[in-house]
Structure formats: C-alpha cells, structure tokens
Amino acid sequence: RVGDAVANYFTGAIASTDFNGGVGGRFFGPVAAGRSGNVGPAEIAGSFTLKNATSKAATIGGFIGRRQ
C-alpha cells in the first residue's frame, strides 16, 4: 500500500564508463530456515535498467529466483 514501509527491498545504482542505470528488487515468500540455519524468504524478484549516454542504447530487464 502507498505510504507503508516496504520490507525486504533493495535498490542500487549501476555506473560504469559506458552505462548508467539502476537495480531494484524484493524478497518474497514464506520465511524458512536455510541449509546454514539462516532464516530468510524463499523467492526474489527485481528489475534493472541500463542506458548508454552517447548512443542512447538502453536495456530493461528482470530477474526471478527461488530457493531450492
């Protein structure tokens, strides 16, 4: 909901000599004990963007993962 604090979220900038952009994502799913005994969500999903300032070439993508 708008205005609520969002838990388990990450965001960051991507910067290099050729590309600039960002990445963001969130952990989802039930909290379960992992192999090392750590507790954490079972799934992750997010998106990223990259753009070249000179050529204006751009990439938008996403990712999803699940703990096995």
Side-chain angles (χ1 to χ4, degrees), residues 35 42 65-68:
R35 291 186 190 129
R66 187 182 94 182
R67 181 180 296 177
Q68 297 266 343

Side-chain angles (χ1 to χ4, degrees), residues 1 14 23 25 27 30 38 41 44 49 53 57 61 63:
R1 293 183 315 194
I14 301 172
V23 62
F27 296 97
N38 295 331
I44 185 173
T49 61
F63 57 91

Side-chain angles (χ1 to χ4, degrees), residues 17-18 51-57:
T17 56
D18 296 324
K51 184 175 181 181
N52 181 287
T54 305
S55 69
K56 307 297 184 203

Side-chain angles (χ1 to χ4, degrees), residues 1 4 6 11 13 15 18 20 23 37 39 41 46 49 57 59-60 65 67-68:
R1 293 183 315 194
D4 288 350
V6 177
T11 184
D18 296 324
N20 292 311
V23 62
V39 175
T49 61
T59 299
I60 300 171
R67 181 180 296 177
Q68 297 266 343

Side-chain angles (χ1 to χ4, degrees), residues 10 21 25-26 31 39:
F10 62 91
R26 187 167 181 204
V31 175
V39 175

